[in-house]
Amino acid sequence: MRKISFLVLFLCFVFNAKSIAQCEIKNRVQADGSMIYFFEPTVFYTTKSKSLKINIVTDKEHYFVALQPTPFPEKKVGKKIKEDLVMHLADNKTYALAHYDTQYRRNDSIMQVLYLIDDKDLDAFSNYEAVSAEINMQGTEFVRSYNFKLHKNAIVEQLKCFLKKEEN
């Protein structure tokens, strides 16, 4: 009986710790002095030739999908990326997210493109997993398409963490 009680207690601890770890929100002060909040990027797509990491970034007023494509163009070419991101969610609808900013970080070893989630679409992104995305990589190739195979629910989980924190 003690072994079963210990096992139940242990499993409760493991699952509770996992759910807490999933809401590990980080923050960073921007050059303009504003604070942004984010999660570590999650791999949504990977092959031998390209990969895509995604995470949610917020300033507590707006929510952004941040993409880190690999390979990425050099800064001169990458700054030309200005087109909207097209995302398909599990609700079988297509969403256009407006391009917000293209950033090169860590001595230009990471390129991150931010796309604004429209307030009217926040509910959909909070409830339906991501299925695929098309990114217009202007100046490098026409459109990169990604059919997500990994961590398709990461956007949902990250948004729920942010929204839950705001309610408290």
Side-chain angles (χ1 to χ4, degrees):
M1 188 66 165
R2 282 186 179 171
K3 287 182 180 181
I4 293 174
S5 297
F6 178 73
L7 181 62
V8 169
L9 181 63
F10 177 75
L11 289 175
C12 288
F13 175 75
V14 168
F15 286 113
N16 192 29
K18 185 177 180 183
S19 68
I20 291 169
Q22 288 176 345
C23 280
E24 191 175 321
I25 298 171
K26 300 183 178 211
N27 60 51
R28 174 174 59 241
V29 177
Q30 298 290 83
D32 66 0
S34 63
M35 182 74 75
I36 62 161
Y37 303 87
F38 62 96
F39 288 89
E40 285 298 320
T42 302
V43 177
F44 268 61
Y45 181 90
T46 188
T47 67
K48 288 181 181 179
S49 62
K50 63 183 179 178
S51 70
L52 182 67
K53 292 181 180 180
I54 297 179
N55 64 315
I56 297 296
V57 175
T58 185
D59 58 5
K60 298 265 180 145
E61 197 173 322
H62 302 97
Y63 294 89
F64 305 90
V65 170
L67 303 183
Q68 292 181 359
T70 304
F72 57 85
E74 63 183 51
K75 190 183 276 189
K76 181 179 169 184
V77 175
K79 289 291 189 176
K80 294 179 183 176
I81 298 172
K82 302 282 184 209
E83 299 295 318
D84 293 349
L85 170 68
V86 176
M87 286 199 70
H88 304 272
L89 301 183
D91 64 353
N92 294 319
K93 293 183 182 175
T94 301
Y95 298 86
L97 286 71
H99 177 270
Y100 182 78
D101 191 23
T102 300
Q103 306 168 341
Y104 284 78
R105 301 187 6 240
R106 296 190 193 149
N107 296 322
D108 298 342
S109 64
I110 296 174
M111 175 187 149
Q112 176 173 277
V113 186
L114 295 173
Y115 296 93
L116 179 64
I117 300 173
D118 193 303
D119 289 342
K120 69 177 176 39
D121 297 331
L122 200 54
D123 189 53
F125 278 87
S126 298
N127 290 296
Y128 297 100
E129 67 183 21
V131 176
S132 65
E134 288 105 40
I135 307 165
N136 187 335
M137 299 293 282
Q138 188 172 342
T140 59
E141 54 192 80
F142 294 127
V143 175
R144 270 193 206 173
S145 295
Y146 298 91
N147 289 315
F148 302 138
K149 301 292 183 207
L150 306 169
H151 310 289
K152 297 194 272 185
N153 62 342
I155 292 173
V156 170
E157 291 173 3
Q158 292 178 16
L159 276 173
K160 284 186 178 182
C161 287
F162 279 131
L163 297 171
K164 182 171 58 175
K165 291 273 185 195
E166 286 181 6
E167 289 175 4
N168 295 337

